[in-house]
């Protein structure tokens, strides 16, 4: 009985993967199933949480030193494409200068994922907008560091 269940489960898993491969790139599937940089950074230097028109939320946390993105993490309650987008976007941002990270576009995320279906392209936009807002937050905190106290971080 257990063997039958295992075989049925493997068959189902294979068919789900085959369906995913018809729609999504291997890179997207990999970042969705094994997201990089998922989680929070305590006391981030930059932070933003944005809810997109689809109702899903993305949060991005940044650690910055000498105007370089030393660490970038994300969290989302969104779809698989938002997970893949947050994962690859934080990878793209890490190691960049703040101004370089600000220039990362939705298209850069789409290119890095080897594309997303048109209906899912907005997930990459949500990630990109959230990164830009997190950078804005960093720049505002840099100008007025005392405000960080009021934000509780
Ligand atoms: Fe909302 Fe993907 S459907 S972020």
């Amino acid at each position: 009985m257990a063997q039958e269940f295992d075989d049925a489960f493997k068959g189902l898993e294979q068919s789900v993967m085959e369906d995913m491969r018809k729609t999504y790139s291997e890179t997207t599937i990999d970042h969705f199933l094994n997201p990089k940089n998922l989680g929070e950074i305590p006391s981030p230097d930059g932070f933003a949480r944005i809810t997109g028109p689809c109702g899903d939320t993305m949060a991005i946390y940044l650690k910055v030193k000498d105007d370089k993105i030393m660490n970038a993490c994300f969290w989302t309650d969104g779809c698989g494409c938002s997970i893949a987008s947050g994962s690859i976007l934080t990878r793209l941002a890490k190691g960049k200068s703040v101004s370089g990270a600000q220039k990362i576009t939705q298209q850069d995320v789409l290119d890095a994922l080897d594309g997303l279906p048109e209906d899912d392209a907005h997930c990459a936009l949500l990630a990109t907008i959230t990164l830009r807002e997190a950078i804005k937050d960093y720049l505002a905190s840099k100008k007025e560091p005392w405000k960080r106290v009021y934000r509780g971080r």
Side-chain angles (χ1 to χ4, degrees), residues 56-74:
D56 295 332
T57 299
M58 168 87 58
I60 292 199
Y61 304 80
L62 300 174
K63 268 288 176 200
V64 182
K65 193 173 176 206
D66 300 330
D67 268 342
K68 188 173 168 182
I69 310 281
M70 303 305 288
N71 198 5
C73 286
F74 80 101

Side-chain angles (χ1 to χ4, degrees), residues 54-57 76 78-82 119-120 122-123 126:
C54 62
D56 295 332
T57 299
T76 184
C79 62
C81 291
S82 70
D119 284 351
D120 297 315
H122 69 275
C123 312
L126 175 63

Side-chain angles (χ1 to χ4, degrees), residues 74-144:
F74 80 101
W75 170 90
T76 184
D77 62 1
C79 62
C81 291
S82 70
I83 295 170
S85 296
S87 175
I88 207 125
L89 175 67
T90 48
R91 262 202 163 174
L92 290 173
K94 269 193 198 184
K96 280 202 166 45
S97 64
V98 169
S99 61
Q102 247 174 340
K103 290 182 189 124
I104 297 173
T105 63
Q106 176 191 22
Q107 191 59 50
D108 293 330
V109 174
L110 293 172
D111 289 346
L113 288 173
D114 296 325
L116 283 177
E118 205 178 318
D119 284 351
D120 297 315
H122 69 275
C123 312
L125 183 61
L126 175 63
T128 314
I129 288 172
T130 310
L131 174 64
R132 288 206 190 122
E133 288 302 313
I135 291 172
K136 270 192 207 166
D137 178 58
Y138 160 70
L139 294 171
S141 298
K142 201 173 130 186
K143 266 193 204 159
E144 297 170 305

